[in-house]
Amino acid sequence: MIALDLIGIGTGNPRHLTLQAIDTINAADLILIPTKGTEKDDLAGLRRQICADMLTNPATRIVEFALPERDPEIADYRARVDAWHDAIAAIWVETIQTHLGQGARVAFLVWGDPSLYDSTLRIADRVAAILPLKTRVIPGITSIQALTAAHAIPLNQINGPVVVTTGRQIRDLGFPDGTNTAVVMLDGELSFRGLDPVGLHIWWTGYAGMENEISLSGPVAEVTKAIVKARTDARAAHGWIMDIYLLRRSAII
C-alpha cells in the first residue's frame, strides 16, 4: 500500500504551514511538485522554497513533473475538466511507479486546503483506481481565511449564511439567492462587474497571505476600476495572479 499525503500549505506563505504539515513533509519518501511553464514558475518556486526551508529529512526525494493543459477542443466544460484530470492522474501514476516502491509515502503540496475548490482529491481517487493507495489530508489555511484576515472582517453577518461560489456561477446565475454574503473564487473575469452595483460592497485580495498581497475594498460602484487596474498590473508583473473576493449586499459586517 502506498500512502499519499495531501498537505495543505496555505496561500504560499511558508509561515502558514502547520506543525502537522511540516512533520508530514519530513515523513515523505517522495514529494511531487507540478510545474506549469515559465510564466507560472513562481508557483513551483514557492513549493521548492517550502521544501528548502522545512525539509530536514535527507532521505526525502523531490520530483517535478509538467502539468498537462486542458484540451480546448473539448467544448463541454465538465468533459474538458474530466479529461484534464484523467491526464494528470496518468502522470501521477507514471511518476509514482518510476520513483516509489510499495509501502512508501508520497506527498503533494496543495495550495490552501485540499477540500476547497481544489481537484487534487479527485485526481487522487483516479490514481487509487490504478495503484494501491491510501489518501490522507493534512488541512491548511484556506484562501477564504487569508482574505478575511487581509481585510480584518468576519466571514458572515450575525446569524447569516455564506455562499462560496465561482466566477462562472456569478456570471451565469447572478448573486446567489438566500444570502447577503458570497465568497467568489476562480474568477479570472471579475464577474461581479455584471451585477447590479447598488448597495453591493466588495472586499478583494490578490495573492492573499503572500508577501505581494494586494487588498482593495468598498462599494462596488466606487472601487471596480481600481480592482481591475490592480489585477491587470499584478498579472503583468508576475505572469499570474490568484485572487478572491467577498461580496456583501450590505456594508454591515
Side-chain angles (χ1 to χ4, degrees), residues 186-247:
L186 306 176
D187 188 7
E189 300 179 13
L190 297 178
S191 301
F192 67 86
R193 291 180 290 176
L195 300 175
D196 181 355
V198 176
L200 193 62
H201 289 68
I202 185 170
W203 290 261
W204 174 88
T205 295
Y207 311 107
M210 301 172 69
E211 290 183 356
N212 51 339
E213 178 181 278
I214 313 165
S215 293
L216 294 167
S217 64
V220 165
E222 297 178 12
V223 299
T224 293
K225 288 184 179 179
I227 290 173
V228 171
K229 184 178 188 307
R231 192 182 195 283
T232 301
D233 291 349
R235 186 178 180 87
H238 299 284
W240 61 279
I241 185 169
M242 289 183 178
D243 59 338
I244 182 173
Y245 58 90
L246 183 149
L247 294 173

Side-chain angles (χ1 to χ4, degrees), residues 2-246:
I2 297 171
L4 171 64
D5 291 325
L6 304 181
I7 305 171
I9 61 172
T11 56
N13 184 339
R15 299 190 69 82
H16 283 184
L17 266 71
T18 65
L19 295 178
Q20 184 185 22
I22 295 170
D23 288 345
T24 306
I25 287 171
N26 281 285
D29 298 296
L30 177 69
I31 296 175
L32 301 181
I33 295 181
T35 60
K36 295 184 177 182
T38 54
E39 287 189 354
K40 294 185 177 181
D41 190 59
D42 283 358
L43 301 178
L46 285 169
R47 285 184 169 100
R48 296 184 194 110
Q49 188 61 51
I50 286 172
C51 291
D53 292 342
M54 305 299 176
L55 186 59
T56 59
N57 182 357
T60 302
R61 290 171 294 150
I62 300 173
V63 173
E64 299 187 7
F65 65 93
L67 276 178
E69 296 183 357
R70 300 186 193 188
D71 186 352
E73 299 298 320
I74 304 175
D76 180 76
Y77 173 76
R78 180 57 188 267
R80 184 165 65 250
V81 171
D82 283 342
W84 183 49
H85 289 170
D86 289 342
I88 295 173
I91 294 174
W92 279 34
V93 169
E94 179 183 0
T95 306
I96 291 172
Q97 287 178 327
T98 300
H99 297 280
L100 197 65
Q102 295 293 324
R105 306 196 72 90
V106 57
F108 191 92
L109 309 184
V110 181
W111 292 110
D113 183 90
S115 69
L116 182 64
Y117 278 101
D118 183 86
S119 294
T120 309
L121 279 165
R122 297 182 181 91
I123 295 166
D125 286 343
R126 286 167 163 80
V127 176
I130 301 171
L131 298 178
L133 199 71
K134 183 176 181 180
T135 301
R136 182 176 63 151
V137 172
I138 310 301
I141 292 176
T142 68
S143 56
I144 295 176
Q145 292 168 289
L147 167 70
T148 54
H151 292 276
I153 58 171
L155 177 61
N156 63 295
Q157 294 174 307
I158 295 175
N159 199 35
V162 176
V163 170
V164 180
T165 187
T166 66
R168 178 182 293 270
Q169 294 292 316
I170 292 291
R171 183 174 67 247
D172 294 345
L173 302 176
F175 196 98
D177 293 331
T179 182
N180 285 329
T181 302
V183 175
V184 185
M185 307 179 70
L186 306 176
D187 188 7
E189 300 179 13
L190 297 178
S191 301
F192 67 86
R193 291 180 290 176
L195 300 175
D196 181 355
V198 176
L200 193 62
H201 289 68
I202 185 170
W203 290 261
W204 174 88
T205 295
Y207 311 107
M210 301 172 69
E211 290 183 356
N212 51 339
E213 178 181 278
I214 313 165
S215 293
L216 294 167
S217 64
V220 165
E222 297 178 12
V223 299
T224 293
K225 288 184 179 179
I227 290 173
V228 171
K229 184 178 188 307
R231 192 182 195 283
T232 301
D233 291 349
R235 186 178 180 87
H238 299 284
W240 61 279
I241 185 169
M242 289 183 178
D243 59 338
I244 182 173
Y245 58 90
L246 183 149

